[in-house]
Structure formats: structure tokens, C-alpha cells
């Protein structure tokens, strides 16, 4: 049954999102479409950079899948989630300034622009582009499922109807506003996420009768829900090591994270963003996962763990307040989708189409139409992929994350820091990482109990080193010296 008190505030929130998209569209600079549409003309300040990185990183998995896992496995999963705390610091610290200086030198708009400028291999760009599109389809499908489940559980909208509303809204506002709309909405959505997380956690603790009572209730359900190893003894040392690589260190290699590292204004923005972003990630990760774990004391019999957050919103908050704070997980999902949609569109238009038709760069109107249309069509196609969802989306999300990291991490990082790196090494690393991860993940093999991402990254690193013995030495990374003088 639809809940009008919940739906009305959400409609107001979506209208605000569209308003920011229209504002971004009107701010678009003529004569510089690609730079403006895909990277916002490199104009982000520290606060906006921090919020867009955080909002892009924190997705349906963090607001739906992660708390769902905490509901199922207990407080141990809350501690595990805090492994992600250094993600913003690692991304900006390792890529950050050097990545941005090289991007400006090469006039790079996408991650694949950077790879081509560094390795001078069109084949490598094609492999990277196809890998990105395949993995992003899985990652964005997760976000669409999360958004539809939110509307279904918290607002009483049928899953299929909610999926249509959510998917069309995302596709429209991203295709209209581009990157500038994405980061402006990310800044607003980050604030909404913070406020929503704090209020929801307080509501859950109050509904459970206090923190002590909630923990006692969890003990009565299953003592392992309050143990470090978690229910089903899932939190083994190999699992935790794998999780850290997958959702923290490996994030450096995610294309939609990396592109934000070429879009900021100056060095001061980076330093400010590292501090703000790390604080925001800490609050959001701890708050949402703790709410999911303690939520089992309030809702002990949920059959689908992923429904814990939207169900808690309706149960512990007044209807109108639930509608307002439904925007928090919705914000997390929307911000991740628009980043991935833009990166996918940039891959299609900038890396593939312009790679084959470089003369089309002069026709700005055609590029604008193609970019907006490809973003819109991709969004609508994802509706079909999300039509029949799995029970727990966190595993599908981690699968897509791992695929991107296995392909991009070493070519990206070693391309920045190893002057002798060449195209043969990078291409060998990409292919070996993709094949290894696909085989291990498909067969569900866990060597020594490790997630497939760890052996895949080790093999792709070895492949890079071996492949690097062939071919010419890579392009120089001496542009790093320019950074120190600026």
C-alpha cells in the first residue's frame, strides 16, 4: 500500500535534484563541451571534491547491502566495514596531484585518455573500455535494484513501478546535467546522507530500548551476533584481508573514483578533501552498518536482509520524517549511478566513437546529443537488467568492484610511478587480471580462503612485470616535477 506521507517529501527531493541538473546545464560553457560535460571543467573545490568522492564511493551496497550483511552476521560486520575508512585518503594520496597534473598535460577527460597518453596503445584502450562497460553494467544494476527496493519497502510502491520511477529519474537528470550536475548533487546528497544516518541510528537505538538492551537482544537471538567472528564464523582472517583489498585499497583502480582525481581545482582542494572525506566516510560507514546490526533487535525475522534499512525507516521514524530521510540511501544510490553512467557514456563517446572518428570532435552539437543520448539509453537498458533482482545485492556489487580493480589497478598505479612501464606490460596485466578474476569468481574458488581479487591482483602484477620486458619503454612520467613547482 502506497504511503503518501513518505512519498511527498521524496518527490520534493527529486525535484530539487532536477533543479540542480538544470542549473548545471545552464552553466555549461560553450566551445568546451567534453571537458564540461564529463569533468566539470576541473573546477571542484575541497568540500565538493570530498563529498563527490564519498557519495560516489558510498552506494547501494553501503546503505542497503552492507547493513543487510550486518543484520545477518552481527556486530563483527560493523568492525569489518570500518576497514574502508582510508579509502578517500588512499585515492587522493596515491593518485591525487600527480594524476591531475598529467591529466592537464595530456588534456585527458577520461581514465582511458590517461591510459592512451601514457601507453600509446589503441588496443589497450579498447580492452579497458569494454572491461569498464561490462563491469559497470553489473555495478549499476545493483544500484537500480537498491533504489527500487527502497521505494518498495519504505513507500509501498511495487518493485517494478519503483524501478521505472527511479531509473527514468536517474537517466534524465544525469543526461541533462552531466558531471557538474553530478558533483553538485553529490555535495547535497552527502549532507543528506550524514543527517539521515545519524537520525536513523538514534531512532533504531531508541526503538530497541537503548544500546545495552539491543546488544542483549542480539545475544539472545545468537551469541555470535555480538562476537568478532560474526554469525556463521564468516569473518576469518583471509576474508577480512580480502575485504580490505576489495573495498579499500583496490578502490584506487576504480574508474569513476579515479576520474574525480582529475577534476579538482588546486592542491588546497585535495588536502581539504582528504580530511573532510575521511571523516564523512567514518560517520556513514559506522552509522549505517551499526543501524543494520542493531536493527535485528527491532526486526528479528526479516527474510530478506537487504530490506532492513528501508523497513527500519518506516518503523522507527514518523511517516513524513521517513520520507525525508528516505532521501539518504536514495542519495547514496543516485550519486553512485550518475558517476558510473557518466563514465560509461564518456567511454562510449570519447574513447570508442572519437577514437574511430577523431574528426567528429569539431562538431560540438553532435557530441552533446550523442553524450546525452548514450547516457539516457544506458540508464534505460539497466532497467531491464534489474527487473529480477537477487536476494542480497552486496555480493553482486563486490563482484563488479573486483572486476574493475583486477583490470585497472596496476596499469593505473604503475603507469604513474614506474617510468619504465610500457603498453605490453599494462595490456598483459589487464588481460591476466580479467581472465583470472572471471575464472575464480565464476567457479567460486577461494584459494587459501581468499577472495578471488587477491590472487587476481597478484597474477596481474606478475603479468605486468613479465610483459614489460617486451616492447619499448613507456612514456615518461616526468610531469610529476611540474607539480612541485606549482
Amino acid at each position: 500500500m502506497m504511503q503518501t506521507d513518505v512519498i511527498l517529501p521524496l518527490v520534493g527531493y527529486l525535484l530539487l535534484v532536477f533543479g540542480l541538473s538544470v542549473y548545471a546545464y545552464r552553466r555549461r560553457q560553450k566551445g568546451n563541451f567534453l571537458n564540461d560535460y564529463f569533468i566539470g571543467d576541473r573546477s571542484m573545490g575541497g568540500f565538493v571534491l570530498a563529498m563527490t568522492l564519498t557519495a560516489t564511493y558510498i552506494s547501494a551496497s553501503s546503505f542497503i547491502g552492507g547493513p543487510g550483511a550486518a543484520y545477518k552476521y552481527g556486530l563483527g560486520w560493523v568492525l569489518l566495514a570500518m576497514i574502508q575508512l582510508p579509502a578517500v585518503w588512499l585515492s587522493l594520496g596515491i593518485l591525487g596531484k600527480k594524476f591531475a597534473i598529467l591529466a592537464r598535460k595530456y588534456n585527458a577527460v577520461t581514465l582511458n585518455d590517461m591510459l592512451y597518453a601514457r601507453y600509446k596503445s589503441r588496443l589497450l584502450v579498447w580492452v579497458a573500455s569494454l572491461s569498464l562497460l561490462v563491469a559497470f553494467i553489473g555495478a549499476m544494476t545493483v544500484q537500480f535494484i537498491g533504489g527500487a527496493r527502497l521505494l518498495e519497502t519504505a513507500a509501498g510502491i511495487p518493485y517494478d513501478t519503483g524501478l521505472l520511477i527511479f531509473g527514468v529519474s536517474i537517466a534524465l537528470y544525469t543526461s541533462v546535467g552531466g558531471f557538474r550536475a553530478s558533483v553538485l548533487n553529490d555535495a547535497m546528497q552527502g549532507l543528506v546522507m550524514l543527517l539521515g544516518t545519524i537520525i536513523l541510528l538514534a531512532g533504531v537505538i531508541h526503538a530497541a530500548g537503548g544500546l545495552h538492551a539491543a546488544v542483549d537482544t542480539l545475544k539472545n537471538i545468537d551469541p555470535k551476533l555480538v562476537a568478532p567472528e560474526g554469525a556463521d564464523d564468516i569473518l576469518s582472517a583471509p576474508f577480512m584481508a580480502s575485504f580490505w583489498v576489495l573495498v579499500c585499497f583496490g578502490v584506487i583502480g576504480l574508474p569513476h573514483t579515479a576520474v574525480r582525481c582529475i577534476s579538482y581545482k588546486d592542491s588546497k582542494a585535495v588536502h581539504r578533501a582528504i580530511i573532510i572525506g575521511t571523516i564523512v566516510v567514518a560517520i556513514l560507514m559506522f552509522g549505517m552498518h551499526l543501524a543494520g546490526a542493531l536493527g535485528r533487535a527491532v526486526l528479528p525475522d526479516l527474510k530478506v536482509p537487504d530490506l532492513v534499512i528501508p523497513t527500519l525507516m518506516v518503523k522507527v521514524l514518523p511517516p513524513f520524517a521517513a520520507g525525508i530521510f528516505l532521501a539518504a540511501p536514495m542519495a547514496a544510490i543516485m550519486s553512485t549511478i550518475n558517476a558510473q553512467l557518466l563514465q560509461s557514456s564518456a567511454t562510449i563517446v570519447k574513447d570508442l566513437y572519437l577514437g574511430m572518428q577523431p574528426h567528429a570532435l569539431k562538431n560540438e552539437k553532435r557530441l552533446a546529443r550523442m553524450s546525452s543520448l548514450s547516457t539516457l539509453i544506458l540508464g534505460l537498458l539497466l532497467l531491464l537488467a534489474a527487473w529480477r533482482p537477487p536476494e542480497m545485492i552486496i555480493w553482486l556489487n563486490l563482484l563488479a568492484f573486483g572486476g574493475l580493480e583486477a583490470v585497472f589497478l596496476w596499469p593505473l598505479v604503475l603507469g604513474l610511478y614506474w617510468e619504465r612501464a610500457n603498453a605490453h606490460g599494462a595490456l598483459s596485466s589487464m588481460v591476466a587480471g580479467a581472465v583470472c578474476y572471471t575464472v575464480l569468481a565464476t567457479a567460486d574458488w577461494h584459494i587459501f580462503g581468499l577472495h578471488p581479487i587477491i590472487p587476481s591482483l597478484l597474477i596481474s602484477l606478475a603479468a605486468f612485470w613479465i610483459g614489460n620486458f617486451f616492447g619499448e619503454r613507456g612514456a615518461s612520467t616526468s610531469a610529476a616535477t611540474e607539480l612541485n613547482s606549482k
Side-chain angles (χ1 to χ4, degrees):
M1 178 177 163
M2 291 192 186
Q3 302 183 43
T4 307
D5 289 342
V6 175
I7 294 173
L8 287 177
L10 186 60
V11 170
Y13 173 75
L14 290 176
L15 289 175
L16 180 58
V17 166
F18 277 112
L20 285 174
S21 298
V22 172
Y23 169 77
Y25 176 79
R26 291 181 174 177
R27 285 280 309 276
R28 191 176 296 165
Q29 298 178 15
K30 293 184 179 180
N32 198 21
F33 171 76
L34 291 176
N35 274 288
D36 199 287
Y37 188 82
F38 291 121
I39 57 174
D41 204 32
R42 309 184 203 272
S43 60
M44 280 192 291
F47 175 77
V48 175
L49 176 60
M51 298 310 276
T52 190
L53 265 174
T54 302
T56 300
Y57 175 65
I58 292 178
S59 61
S61 184
S62 305
F63 264 76
I64 305 295
Y71 176 92
K72 184 174 182 178
Y73 300 117
L75 295 176
W77 194 277
V78 180
L79 295 177
L80 179 70
M82 300 311 292
I83 286 175
Q84 303 170 72
L85 189 60
V88 171
W89 176 79
L90 282 171
S91 296
L92 289 176
I94 292 178
L95 298 180
K97 294 181 180 179
K98 189 168 186 177
F99 199 58
I101 287 293
L102 290 172
R104 283 164 169 80
K105 177 184 177 182
Y106 301 137
N107 195 29
V109 173
T110 67
L111 177 61
N112 285 332
D113 280 347
M114 291 288 289
L115 292 174
Y116 182 73
R118 178 64 178 85
Y119 296 112
K120 307 299 182 186
S121 169
R122 186 56 62 185
L123 176 60
L124 185 146
V125 169
W126 273 88
V127 171
S129 298
L130 294 175
S131 300
L132 183 148
L133 290 172
V134 169
F136 268 4
I137 287 172
M140 288 188 288
T141 300
V142 168
Q143 311 308 318
F144 273 70
I145 293 169
R149 278 184 174 163
L150 272 174
L151 294 176
E152 178 185 33
T153 307
I157 299 173
Y159 178 85
D160 293 350
T161 305
L163 185 61
L164 284 172
I165 294 171
F166 180 76
V168 171
S169 299
I170 285 284
L172 282 175
Y173 100 75
T174 306
S175 64
V176 169
F179 186 88
R180 194 183 298 275
S182 175
V183 297
L184 286 174
N185 278 304
D186 285 351
M188 177 190 70
Q189 289 162 347
L191 295 173
V192 170
M193 283 189 273
L194 276 173
L195 188 59
T197 297
I198 293 168
I199 292 179
L200 179 63
L201 179 59
V204 170
I205 292 173
H206 181 267
L211 188 59
H212 191 273
V215 173
D216 286 343
T217 303
L218 293 181
K219 281 183 182 177
N220 292 333
I221 295 172
D222 181 354
K224 287 191 175 181
L225 290 174
V226 298
E229 65 272 14
D232 300 333
D233 295 325
I234 190 172
L235 302 179
S236 62
F239 182 89
M240 288 190 287
S242 301
F243 195 83
W244 183 81
V245 171
L246 189 60
V247 301
C248 188
F249 175 72
V251 170
I252 300 165
L254 294 178
H256 53 297
T257 299
V259 76
R260 265 122 177 99
C261 296
I262 68 175
S263 310
Y264 62 84
K265 185 166 53 177
D266 51 31
S267 296
K268 187 183 294 184
V270 177
H271 301 150
R272 191 171 295 165
I274 288 175
I275 297 170
I276 297 173
T278 301
I279 293 171
V280 172
V281 167
I283 295 171
L284 292 177
M285 285 297 171
F286 181 75
M288 288 310 301
H289 286 81
L290 184 59
L294 298 180
R296 191 153 180 180
V298 181
L299 304 165
D301 300 315
L302 276 182
K303 293 182 180 179
V304 181
D306 280 355
L307 297 180
V308 61
I309 292 301
T311 306
L312 283 172
M313 284 182 153
V314 175
K315 186 173 181 65
V316 306
L317 296 175
F320 192 78
I324 294 173
F325 297 116
L326 177 60
M330 192 67 77
I333 295 167
M334 291 172 75
S335 58
T336 301
I337 291 180
N338 61 44
Q340 294 173 344
L341 264 179
L342 279 174
Q343 192 70 16
S344 299
S345 178
T347 298
I348 293 170
V349 175
K350 180 71 171 62
D351 301 325
L352 299 180
Y353 174 70
L354 287 179
M356 294 184 294
Q357 304 285 338
H359 62 275
L361 185 61
K362 298 177 182 178
N363 192 334
E364 186 170 301
K365 287 186 178 180
R366 177 183 289 181
L367 288 178
R369 286 196 302 269
M370 283 192 64
S371 300
S372 296
L373 189 61
S374 62
T375 303
L376 182 61
I377 291 174
L378 275 171
L380 296 179
L381 288 176
L382 288 165
L383 289 175
L384 299 177
W387 211 257
R388 291 292 175 262
E391 186 175 300
M392 289 186 71
I393 61 175
I394 188 171
W395 306 122
L396 179 57
N397 195 53
L398 293 179
L399 182 67
F401 259 46
L404 287 168
E405 292 167 7
V407 170
F408 286 100
L409 181 63
W410 297 125
L412 181 57
V413 174
L414 294 180
L416 281 177
Y417 290 97
W418 189 19
E419 190 172 329
R420 296 181 60 86
N422 63 29
H424 286 75
L427 193 56
S428 300
S429 176
M430 283 182 164
V431 173
V435 171
C436 180
Y437 188 78
T438 300
V439 170
L440 293 178
T442 302
D444 199 24
W445 289 339
H446 297 268
I447 301 170
F448 301 117
L450 296 169
H451 187 276
I453 189 59
I454 291 186
S456 298
L457 287 179
L458 292 175
I459 288 174
S460 66
L461 179 60
F464 200 121
W465 181 72
I466 294 170
N468 211 66
F469 285 109
F470 304 92
E472 297 178 0
R473 175 174 160 172
S476 173
T477 59
S478 62
T481 59
E482 299 176 28
L483 170 66
N484 298 322
S485 64
K486 293 190 176 184

